[in-house]
Amino acid sequence: MRYVYCFLLVFLLIISSSCRKDFETIPSFGSLEFSKDTVFLDTIFSNIGSATYNLKVYNKSNKAITIPEIKLENGTTSNYRLNVDGTPGKDFKNVEILANDSMYVFVETTIDFNTVTNPLYTDKILFDNGNNQQDVDLVTLVQDAHFIFPAKNNMGIETLTIDGKDSKIQGRFLKDNELIFTDDKPYVIYGYAAVPNDKTLTINPGAKLHFHRNSGLIIDTKASLKANGTLNKKIVFQGDRLEHSFKDIPGQWGTIWMRAGSKENVLNNTLIKNGIVGVLVDSIGHNSSPTLTIKNTEIYNNSSYGILGRNTNILGKNLVIGNTGQSSLACTFGGTYNFTHATFSNFWNNSLRQLPAVLVNNFIIFTNNNGQENTLTRDLFAANFTNCIIDGNNNIEFILDKSDKSLFNYNIKNSMIKFNDINNSFTNNLELKFDNTIHYQNIYLNKPSNFKDVFSNSFIIGDKSEAINKGILTTVTSDILGVNRATNIDLGAYQHITF
């Protein structure tokens, strides 16, 4: 009986203590501290929601406090949205913070460009009132844009019909009045914007294309892409998240896909970044006429490939392909590839990379309907690299992988290559005998490139680079920045500088 009595006594004590208020507060006295005095929500597109930003509010006094009110200065008409201590809204009453404690305020916004008088949209978060009132500024720049997106109906989102068959690719074909992209305002693309047969998409200098997740461009059979920027007005292809934290995030969008049968595509003075595959080229077209001519172009931070060519014809000059999740350049399933003054430099550090910076082969391996693995080969008519740099953070950054069932023609001259076969894995690969002067002339193995900053995709070379004065004269007499290289010719896309 005594144990039962003790148990009941303890139980009553627990119940009584649970009913008691944990702490007493005093009114806020205007001494809150904040993690920042202004919350910059970066730049957003019209009617596209921002990322979520946070503000930390500190009570550094020895007393628990109650903030009588937290609200937006513009009230319910504000385009900002708050979440205070887990509760969404725009006006909050009697918010408590323990002594020497803090809480989070989360901020988001969605703004219609046409409803604001100033694209620099501002507001304030007000804490408390009267003489104790404190505030934190909110600032967002909102941009108007051209929006291209597929239709939506009761059946779902519109998908593309390719080669007369329905696909699962969300998107639509561009209309005739949409086939010229200008630089008056950015283009925001949802799904894949496809260029129809026998049509040309022309992108003017300075145009900026922003792709949503799982979005991109498709250049269909007999269609063309003409993206001709200039040195001072580059054309930019990137994701649609403009916040600074997304500046170098790979895999934000899909690819620029030049389908089999597309023709005479041009990328000149362009920047392509943060996709899955920068450019996917599938069309052989004609051996003497490039399916893609790409010049004075930078391709960075793609989660799989910078350029993936499949049985195609690519001509590249003054090309830089930086960090990618697999190969910077993959020339696969045969074709014709000619690169002059290109820098292929892969210092990817986001995950384990299994492929070299440059991969060339003349076959594909696939599994048929019976689950059997098959190899299909095509002729490699040419894989020519002149005055190039091939570098990265793997020991092996250049691989030629040949099937004897088809042609395999290649020539590499006056180029610097990272190839350190410490495990002798390629001893029997006859295509990687760099002393074979039929295929290799003036090759510089494992020499320091002296790039400015590989992790920021800054691949201009410095004055300690072994690539200096190692080139031969070609028709490419200026570098990617317009610097003359008629004499004292350096390897890669850049003439060297001092830094």
Side-chain angles (χ1 to χ4, degrees):
M1 187 67 181
R2 185 177 59 185
Y3 295 110
V4 174
Y5 174 79
C6 291
F7 174 79
L8 289 173
L9 181 61
V10 171
F11 180 74
L12 289 171
L13 287 172
I14 293 173
I15 291 295
S16 64
S17 64
S18 67
C19 294
R20 190 176 64 241
K21 190 168 184 176
D22 291 328
F23 58 89
E24 294 182 356
T25 68
I26 63 173
S28 171
F29 47 92
S31 295
L32 296 172
E33 295 186 27
F34 308 100
S35 56
K36 58 194 81 172
D37 57 15
T38 302
V39 179
F40 294 98
L41 281 80
D42 293 316
T43 303
I44 62 169
F45 286 119
S46 178
N47 291 310
I48 295 181
S50 71
T52 301
Y53 294 77
N54 67 73
L55 169 72
K56 203 167 186 181
V57 184
Y58 299 93
N59 170 24
K60 294 190 176 181
S61 73
N62 294 323
K63 296 283 188 180
I65 63 171
T66 297
I67 307 171
E69 187 173 34
I70 300 175
K71 65 180 181 180
L72 289 162
E73 185 176 55
N74 290 337
T76 57
T77 63
S78 176
N79 286 309
Y80 291 105
R81 302 181 297 275
L82 303 181
N83 186 301
V84 175
D85 228 14
T87 302
K90 297 187 178 184
D91 194 336
F92 306 84
K93 307 292 187 185
N94 299 320
V95 180
E96 297 175 345
I97 309 181
L98 292 172
N100 296 304
D101 203 353
S102 62
M103 71 172 183
Y104 278 103
V105 175
F106 297 98
V107 189
E108 297 176 337
T109 188
T110 305
I111 304 172
D112 183 345
F113 182 86
N114 296 313
T115 64
V116 294
T117 56
N118 188 338
L120 190 66
Y121 184 77
T122 63
D123 201 346
K124 294 178 184 289
I125 307 176
L126 304 180
F127 296 84
D128 210 330
N129 44 48
N131 293 332
N132 292 331
Q133 189 172 85
Q134 298 173 262
D135 62 72
V136 172
D137 292 323
L138 303 177
V139 179
T140 306
L141 180 64
V142 57
Q143 282 193 34
D144 195 11
H146 300 284
F147 292 91
I148 297 173
F149 50 87
K152 186 176 182 180
N153 53 41
N154 294 333
M155 302 297 292
I157 298 175
E158 179 183 4
T159 57
L160 288 166
T161 299
I162 295 178
D163 296 334
K165 299 178 181 179
D166 292 335
S167 75
K168 294 183 179 180
I169 301 173
Q170 293 181 348
R172 66 172 177 86
F173 284 94
L174 295 171
K175 302 171 185 175
D176 285 354
N177 63 356
E178 297 176 310
L179 290 174
I180 298 178
F181 285 9
T182 65
D183 67 343
D184 64 330
K185 52 186 177 181
Y187 290 78
V188 180
I189 298 172
Y190 287 78
Y192 276 82
V195 184
N197 290 357
D198 295 313
K199 301 291 184 178
T200 297
L201 172 61
T202 300
I203 304 179
N204 289 344
K208 291 180 171 54
L209 284 68
H210 298 265
F211 300 95
H212 196 60
R213 184 169 53 90
N214 298 324
S215 302
L217 282 181
I218 293 178
I219 317 303
D220 206 8
T221 303
K222 298 181 181 179
S224 299
L225 170 66
K226 305 290 187 184
N228 275 301
T230 66
L231 179 60
N232 296 319
K233 297 185 73 173
K234 282 185 174 288
I235 296 168
V236 180
F237 302 83
Q238 61 182 328
D240 67 345
R241 300 305 299 264
L242 304 183
E243 299 90 342
H244 181 76
S245 59
F246 283 84
K247 183 172 67 76
D248 295 317
I249 300 298
Q252 295 180 46
W253 58 285
T255 185
I256 302 169
W257 181 16
M258 299 170 181
R259 293 195 62 235
S262 68
K263 59 183 182 179
E264 299 173 356
N265 298 294
V266 174
L267 292 167
N268 184 21
N269 280 297
T270 65
L271 170 62
I272 303 166
K273 64 177 187 173
N274 300 338
I276 296 174
V277 176
V279 187
L280 171 60
V281 193
D282 264 339
S283 171
I284 190 62
H286 192 278
N287 289 334
S288 61
S289 177
T291 303
L292 169 63
T293 298
I294 183 167
K295 300 185 295 183
N296 305 307
T297 287
E298 303 161 80
I299 304 176
Y300 302 133
N301 287 340
N302 293 285
S303 58
S304 289
Y305 297 93
I307 293 179
L308 173 57
R310 299 188 294 206
N311 190 222
T312 192
N313 188 333
I314 301 176
L315 173 65
K317 300 178 180 181
N318 279 342
L319 173 64
V320 181
I321 309 183
N323 301 328
T324 59
Q326 294 299 334
S327 290
S328 298
L329 171 70
C331 305
T332 68
F333 199 33
T336 300
Y337 306 92
N338 291 284
F339 295 98
T340 304
H341 280 292
T343 298
F344 307 103
S345 185
N346 199 345
F347 288 82
W348 176 266
N349 62 357
N350 291 331
S351 61
L352 181 64
R353 176 167 61 92
Q354 299 180 348
L355 296 180
V358 174
L359 169 68
V360 180
N361 69 34
N362 62 344
F363 62 88
I364 57 170
I365 299 173
F366 66 96
T367 302
N368 63 21
N369 294 333
N370 297 321
Q372 297 172 320
E373 192 174 88
N374 290 271
T375 300
L376 188 62
T377 69
R378 289 288 185 271
D379 289 337
L380 178 69
F381 296 102
N384 299 324
F385 297 82
T386 302
N387 291 351
C388 293
I389 296 176
I390 301 172
D391 203 351
N393 53 3
N394 285 351
N395 285 315
I396 303 296
E397 293 293 7
F398 179 70
I399 290 180
L400 301 176
D401 197 3
K402 172 186 175 183
S403 169
D404 292 327
K405 295 180 180 180
S406 293
L407 287 176
F408 199 85
N409 295 325
Y410 61 97
N411 184 263
I412 295 88
K413 66 176 68 171
N414 291 79
S415 292
M416 198 157 71
I417 300 174
K418 174 78 173 292
F419 189 90
N420 188 14
D421 190 13
I422 58 176
N423 296 319
N424 298 316
S425 301
F426 297 91
T427 301
N428 297 323
N429 188 327
L430 298 180
E431 278 62 55
L432 294 171
K433 300 296 183 184
F434 298 104
D435 56 356
N436 182 346
T437 56
I438 296 175
H439 296 291
Y440 296 97
Q441 303 90 43
N442 301 322
I443 303 302
Y444 307 95
L445 291 178
N446 305 316
K447 301 296 184 181
S449 299
N450 189 212
F451 296 123
K452 186 174 183 179
D453 186 352
V454 297
F455 299 113
S456 297
N457 285 301
S458 180
F459 296 112
I460 192 167
I461 57 174
D463 55 9
K464 296 180 176 58
S465 175
E466 289 290 334
I468 296 174
N469 293 337
K470 297 295 195 303
I472 57 173
L473 185 63
T474 69
T475 58
V476 188
T477 55
S478 296
D479 78 353
I480 193 172
L481 298 177
V483 177
N484 184 280
R485 62 153 68 101
T487 59
N488 301 320
I489 302 163
D490 298 341
L491 305 182
Y494 298 96
Q495 288 291 102
H496 76 278
I497 64 171
T498 300
F499 52 76

Coordinates of all heavy atoms in Angstrom, one line a residue, residues 335-389:
G335 N 32.4 8.7 -86.8 CA 32.0 10.0 -87.2 C 33.3 10.8 -87.7 O 34.3 10.2 -88.0
T336 N 33.2 12.1 -87.7 CA 34.2 13.0 -88.1 C 34.4 14.1 -87.1 O 33.4 14.8 -86.8 CB 34.0 13.6 -89.5 OG1 33.9 12.5 -90.4 CG2 35.1 14.5 -89.9
Y337 N 35.5 14.3 -86.5 CA 35.7 15.3 -85.4 C 37.1 16.0 -85.7 O 38.1 15.4 -85.8 CB 35.8 14.6 -84.0 CG 34.6 13.7 -83.8 CD1 34.6 12.4 -84.1 CD2 33.4 14.2 -83.2 CE1 33.5 11.5 -83.9 CE2 32.3 13.4 -83.0 CZ 32.3 12.1 -83.4 OH 31.2 11.3 -83.1
N338 N 37.0 17.3 -85.7 CA 38.2 18.2 -85.9 C 38.2 19.3 -84.9 O 37.3 20.1 -84.9 CB 38.2 18.7 -87.3 CG 38.4 17.6 -88.4 OD1 39.5 17.2 -88.6 ND2 37.4 17.2 -89.1
F339 N 39.2 19.3 -84.1 CA 39.3 20.4 -83.0 C 40.6 21.1 -83.1 O 41.7 20.4 -83.2 CB 39.1 19.8 -81.7 CG 37.7 19.2 -81.4 CD1 37.5 17.8 -81.6 CD2 36.7 20.0 -81.1 CE1 36.2 17.3 -81.4 CE2 35.4 19.5 -80.9 CZ 35.2 18.1 -81.1
T340 N 40.6 22.4 -83.2 CA 41.8 23.2 -83.2 C 41.7 24.2 -82.1 O 40.7 24.9 -81.9 CB 41.9 23.9 -84.6 OG1 41.9 23.0 -85.6 CG2 43.2 24.7 -84.6
H341 N 42.8 24.3 -81.3 CA 42.9 25.3 -80.2 C 41.7 25.1 -79.2 O 41.0 26.0 -78.9 CB 43.0 26.7 -80.7 CG 44.3 27.1 -81.1 ND1 45.4 27.3 -80.3 CD2 44.8 27.5 -82.4 CE1 46.5 27.6 -80.9 NE2 46.2 27.8 -82.2
A342 N 41.6 23.9 -78.7 CA 40.6 23.5 -77.8 C 41.2 23.2 -76.4 O 42.3 22.6 -76.4 CB 39.7 22.4 -78.3
T343 N 40.5 23.5 -75.4 CA 41.0 23.2 -74.0 C 39.9 22.2 -73.4 O 38.8 22.7 -73.2 CB 41.1 24.4 -73.1 OG1 42.2 25.2 -73.7 CG2 41.5 24.0 -71.7
F344 N 40.3 21.0 -73.2 CA 39.4 20.0 -72.5 C 40.0 19.8 -71.2 O 41.0 19.1 -71.0 CB 39.3 18.7 -73.3 CG 39.0 18.9 -74.8 CD1 39.9 18.9 -75.8 CD2 37.6 19.2 -75.1 CE1 39.6 19.1 -77.1 CE2 37.3 19.4 -76.5 CZ 38.3 19.3 -77.5
S345 N 39.4 20.3 -70.1 CA 40.0 20.3 -68.8 C 39.0 19.9 -67.8 O 38.0 20.7 -67.5 CB 40.6 21.7 -68.5 OG 41.3 21.6 -67.3
N346 N 39.1 18.7 -67.2 CA 38.1 18.2 -66.3 C 38.6 18.0 -64.9 O 39.3 17.0 -64.6 CB 37.5 16.9 -66.9 CG 36.1 16.6 -66.3 OD1 35.7 17.1 -65.3 ND2 35.4 15.7 -67.0
F347 N 38.3 18.9 -64.0 CA 38.7 18.8 -62.6 C 37.4 18.6 -61.7 O 37.3 19.2 -60.7 CB 39.5 20.0 -62.2 CG 40.9 20.0 -62.8 CD1 41.1 20.5 -64.1 CD2 42.0 19.5 -62.0 CE1 42.4 20.5 -64.6 CE2 43.2 19.6 -62.6 CZ 43.5 20.0 -63.9
W348 N 36.5 17.9 -62.3 CA 35.2 17.6 -61.6 C 35.5 17.0 -60.2 O 36.3 16.1 -60.0 CB 34.4 16.6 -62.4 CG 33.1 16.1 -61.8 CD1 32.9 15.0 -61.0 CD2 31.8 16.7 -61.9 NE1 31.6 14.9 -60.7 CE2 30.9 15.9 -61.2 CE3 31.4 17.9 -62.6 CZ2 29.6 16.2 -61.2 CZ3 30.0 18.2 -62.5 CH2 29.1 17.4 -61.8
N349 N 34.8 17.6 -59.1 CA 35.0 17.1 -57.8 C 33.7 16.8 -57.0 O 33.7 16.7 -55.8 CB 36.0 18.0 -57.0 CG 35.4 19.4 -56.8 OD1 34.3 19.7 -57.4 ND2 36.1 20.2 -56.1
N350 N 32.6 16.8 -57.8 CA 31.3 16.5 -57.1 C 31.0 15.1 -56.9 O 30.1 14.7 -56.1 CB 30.2 17.2 -57.9 CG 30.3 18.7 -57.9 OD1 30.7 19.3 -57.0 ND2 29.8 19.3 -59.0
S351 N 31.7 14.2 -57.6 CA 31.5 12.8 -57.4 C 32.6 12.0 -58.1 O 33.5 12.7 -58.7 CB 30.1 12.4 -58.1 OG 30.1 12.7 -59.5
L352 N 32.6 10.7 -58.0 CA 33.6 9.9 -58.7 C 33.4 9.9 -60.2 O 32.3 9.6 -60.7 CB 33.6 8.5 -58.2 CG 34.6 7.5 -58.8 CD1 36.0 8.0 -58.4 CD2 34.4 6.1 -58.3
R353 N 34.4 10.3 -60.9 CA 34.3 10.4 -62.4 C 35.1 9.2 -63.0 O 36.3 9.0 -62.7 CB 34.9 11.7 -62.9 CG 35.0 11.8 -64.4 CD 35.3 13.3 -64.8 NE 36.6 13.7 -64.3 CZ 37.7 13.6 -65.0 NH1 37.8 13.1 -66.2 NH2 38.9 14.1 -64.5
Q354 N 34.4 8.4 -63.9 CA 35.0 7.2 -64.4 C 35.5 7.3 -65.8 O 36.3 6.5 -66.2 CB 33.9 6.1 -64.4 CG 33.4 5.8 -63.0 CD 32.3 4.7 -63.0 OE1 31.8 4.3 -64.0 NE2 32.0 4.2 -61.8
L355 N 35.2 8.4 -66.5 CA 35.6 8.5 -67.9 C 36.7 9.7 -68.0 O 36.7 10.6 -67.1 CB 34.4 8.9 -68.8 CG 33.4 7.7 -68.9 CD1 32.3 8.2 -69.9 CD2 34.0 6.4 -69.4
P356 N 37.5 9.6 -69.0 CA 38.5 10.7 -69.2 C 37.9 12.0 -69.7 O 36.8 12.0 -70.1 CB 39.4 10.0 -70.2 CG 38.5 9.2 -71.1 CD 37.5 8.6 -70.1
A357 N 38.7 13.0 -69.7 CA 38.3 14.3 -70.2 C 37.9 14.1 -71.7 O 36.9 14.7 -72.1 CB 39.4 15.3 -70.1
V358 N 38.6 13.4 -72.5 CA 38.3 13.1 -73.9 C 38.3 11.6 -74.2 O 39.3 10.9 -73.9 CB 39.4 13.8 -74.8 CG1 39.2 13.4 -76.3 CG2 39.4 15.3 -74.6
L359 N 37.2 11.2 -74.7 CA 37.0 9.8 -75.1 C 36.6 9.7 -76.6 O 35.7 10.5 -77.0 CB 35.9 9.2 -74.2 CG 35.3 7.8 -74.7 CD1 36.4 6.7 -74.4 CD2 34.1 7.4 -73.9
V360 N 37.3 8.8 -77.3 CA 37.0 8.6 -78.7 C 36.8 7.2 -79.0 O 37.7 6.4 -78.6 CB 38.1 9.2 -79.6 CG1 37.7 9.0 -81.1 CG2 38.3 10.7 -79.4
N361 N 35.7 6.7 -79.6 CA 35.6 5.3 -80.0 C 34.7 5.3 -81.3 O 34.3 6.3 -81.8 CB 35.0 4.5 -78.9 CG 33.5 4.8 -78.6 OD1 32.7 5.2 -79.4 ND2 33.1 4.7 -77.3
N362 N 34.6 4.0 -81.8 CA 33.8 3.8 -83.0 C 32.8 2.7 -82.9 O 32.5 2.0 -83.8 CB 34.8 3.5 -84.2 CG 35.6 2.2 -84.0 OD1 35.6 1.7 -82.8 ND2 36.2 1.7 -85.0
F363 N 32.2 2.6 -81.7 CA 31.2 1.6 -81.5 C 30.2 2.0 -80.4 O 30.5 3.0 -79.6 CB 31.9 0.3 -81.1 CG 32.7 0.4 -79.8 CD1 32.1 0.1 -78.6 CD2 34.0 0.7 -79.9 CE1 32.8 0.2 -77.4 CE2 34.8 0.8 -78.7 CZ 34.2 0.5 -77.5
I364 N 29.1 1.3 -80.3 CA 28.2 1.4 -79.1 C 27.9 0.0 -78.7 O 27.9 -1.0 -79.5 CB 26.9 2.2 -79.4 CG1 26.2 1.5 -80.6 CG2 27.2 3.6 -79.7 CD1 24.8 2.1 -80.7
I365 N 27.6 -0.2 -77.4 CA 27.2 -1.5 -76.8 C 25.8 -1.3 -76.4 O 25.5 -0.4 -75.6 CB 28.2 -1.9 -75.7 CG1 29.6 -2.0 -76.2 CG2 27.7 -3.2 -75.1 CD1 30.6 -2.3 -75.1
F366 N 24.9 -2.2 -76.8 CA 23.5 -2.1 -76.4 C 23.0 -3.5 -76.1 O 23.6 -4.5 -76.4 CB 22.7 -1.5 -77.5 CG 22.6 -2.3 -78.8 CD1 21.5 -3.1 -79.0 CD2 23.6 -2.2 -79.7 CE1 21.4 -3.9 -80.2 CE2 23.5 -2.9 -80.9 CZ 22.5 -3.8 -81.1
T367 N 21.9 -3.5 -75.4 CA 21.2 -4.8 -75.0 C 20.0 -4.9 -75.9 O 19.1 -4.0 -75.9 CB 20.9 -4.8 -73.5 OG1 22.1 -4.7 -72.8 CG2 20.2 -6.2 -73.1
N368 N 19.8 -6.1 -76.6 CA 18.7 -6.3 -77.4 C 17.5 -6.7 -76.6 O 17.5 -6.9 -75.4 CB 19.0 -7.2 -78.6 CG 19.3 -8.6 -78.1 OD1 19.0 -9.0 -76.9 ND2 20.0 -9.4 -78.9
N369 N 16.3 -7.0 -77.3 CA 15.1 -7.4 -76.6 C 15.2 -8.7 -75.9 O 14.4 -9.0 -75.0 CB 14.0 -7.4 -77.7 CG 13.6 -6.1 -78.2 OD1 13.9 -5.1 -77.6 ND2 13.1 -6.0 -79.4
N370 N 16.2 -9.5 -76.3 CA 16.4 -10.8 -75.6 C 17.4 -10.7 -74.4 O 17.7 -11.7 -73.8 CB 16.9 -11.9 -76.6 CG 15.9 -12.1 -77.7 OD1 14.7 -12.2 -77.4 ND2 16.3 -12.3 -78.9
G371 N 17.8 -9.5 -74.1 CA 18.7 -9.3 -73.0 C 20.1 -9.6 -73.3 O 21.0 -9.7 -72.5
Q372 N 20.4 -9.8 -74.6 CA 21.8 -10.1 -75.1 C 22.5 -8.8 -75.4 O 22.0 -7.8 -76.0 CB 21.8 -11.0 -76.3 CG 21.1 -12.3 -76.1 CD 21.0 -13.1 -77.4 OE1 20.6 -12.5 -78.4 NE2 21.2 -14.4 -77.3
E373 N 23.8 -8.7 -75.0 CA 24.6 -7.5 -75.2 C 25.2 -7.6 -76.6 O 25.8 -8.6 -77.0 CB 25.7 -7.5 -74.2 CG 26.5 -6.1 -74.1 CD 27.4 -6.0 -73.0 OE1 28.6 -6.5 -73.2 OE2 27.1 -5.6 -71.9
N374 N 25.1 -6.5 -77.4 CA 25.6 -6.5 -78.7 C 26.4 -5.2 -78.9 O 26.2 -4.2 -78.3 CB 24.4 -6.4 -79.7 CG 23.7 -7.7 -79.8 OD1 24.0 -8.6 -80.6 ND2 22.7 -7.9 -79.0
T375 N 27.4 -5.3 -79.8 CA 28.3 -4.2 -80.2 C 28.0 -3.8 -81.6 O 28.0 -4.7 -82.5 CB 29.7 -4.5 -80.0 OG1 30.0 -4.9 -78.6 CG2 30.6 -3.4 -80.4
L376 N 27.8 -2.6 -81.9 CA 27.5 -2.0 -83.2 C 28.6 -1.0 -83.5 O 28.9 -0.1 -82.7 CB 26.2 -1.4 -83.3 CG 25.7 -1.0 -84.7 CD1 25.5 -2.2 -85.6 CD2 24.3 -0.2 -84.6
T377 N 29.3 -1.1 -84.7 CA 30.4 -0.2 -85.0 C 30.0 0.7 -86.2 O 29.2 0.4 -87.0 CB 31.7 -1.0 -85.4 OG1 31.5 -1.7 -86.6 CG2 32.0 -2.0 -84.3
R378 N 30.7 1.8 -86.2 CA 30.7 2.7 -87.4 C 32.1 3.3 -87.6 O 32.9 3.3 -86.7 CB 29.7 3.9 -87.1 CG 28.2 3.5 -87.0 CD 27.7 3.2 -88.4 NE 26.3 2.9 -88.4 CZ 25.7 1.7 -88.2 NH1 26.5 0.7 -88.0 NH2 24.4 1.6 -88.3
D379 N 32.3 3.7 -88.9 CA 33.6 4.2 -89.2 C 33.9 5.5 -88.5 O 33.1 6.4 -88.5 CB 33.7 4.5 -90.7 CG 33.7 3.2 -91.5 OD1 34.1 2.1 -91.0 OD2 33.3 3.2 -92.7
L380 N 35.1 5.6 -87.9 CA 35.6 6.9 -87.5 C 36.5 7.4 -88.6 O 37.6 7.0 -88.8 CB 36.5 6.7 -86.2 CG 37.1 7.9 -85.6 CD1 36.0 8.9 -85.0 CD2 38.2 7.6 -84.5
F381 N 35.9 8.4 -89.3 CA 36.6 8.9 -90.5 C 37.8 9.8 -90.1 O 38.8 9.9 -90.7 CB 35.6 9.7 -91.4 CG 34.6 8.8 -92.0 CD1 33.3 8.8 -91.5 CD2 34.9 8.0 -93.1 CE1 32.3 8.0 -92.0 CE2 33.9 7.2 -93.6 CZ 32.6 7.2 -93.1
A382 N 37.6 10.5 -89.0 CA 38.6 11.4 -88.5 C 38.4 11.8 -87.0 O 37.3 12.1 -86.6 CB 38.7 12.7 -89.3
A383 N 39.5 11.8 -86.3 CA 39.5 12.4 -84.9 C 40.8 13.2 -84.8 O 41.8 12.6 -84.5 CB 39.4 11.4 -83.8
N384 N 40.7 14.5 -85.2 CA 41.9 15.3 -85.3 C 42.0 16.4 -84.3 O 41.0 17.1 -84.1 CB 42.0 15.9 -86.7 CG 42.1 14.9 -87.8 OD1 42.7 13.8 -87.6 ND2 41.5 15.1 -88.9
F385 N 43.1 16.4 -83.5 CA 43.2 17.4 -82.5 C 44.5 18.2 -82.8 O 45.6 17.6 -82.8 CB 43.3 16.8 -81.1 CG 42.0 16.1 -80.7 CD1 41.8 14.8 -81.2 CD2 41.1 16.7 -79.9 CE1 40.6 14.1 -80.8 CE2 39.9 16.0 -79.5 CZ 39.7 14.7 -80.0
T386 N 44.4 19.5 -82.9 CA 45.6 20.3 -83.2 C 45.7 21.5 -82.2 O 44.7 22.2 -82.0 CB 45.6 20.9 -84.6 OG1 45.5 19.8 -85.6 CG2 46.8 21.7 -85.0
N387 N 46.9 21.7 -81.6 CA 47.1 22.8 -80.7 C 46.1 22.7 -79.5 O 45.5 23.7 -79.1 CB 47.0 24.1 -81.4 CG 48.1 24.4 -82.3 OD1 49.1 23.6 -82.4 ND2 48.0 25.4 -83.1
C388 N 45.9 21.5 -79.0 CA 44.9 21.4 -77.9 C 45.6 21.0 -76.6 O 46.7 20.6 -76.5 CB 43.9 20.2 -78.2 SG 42.9 20.6 -79.6
I389 N 44.8 21.3 -75.5 CA 45.2 20.9 -74.1 C 44.1 19.9 -73.6 O 42.9 20.2 -73.7 CB 45.3 22.1 -73.2 CG1 46.4 23.0 -73.6 CG2 45.5 21.6 -71.7 CD1 46.5 24.3 -72.7

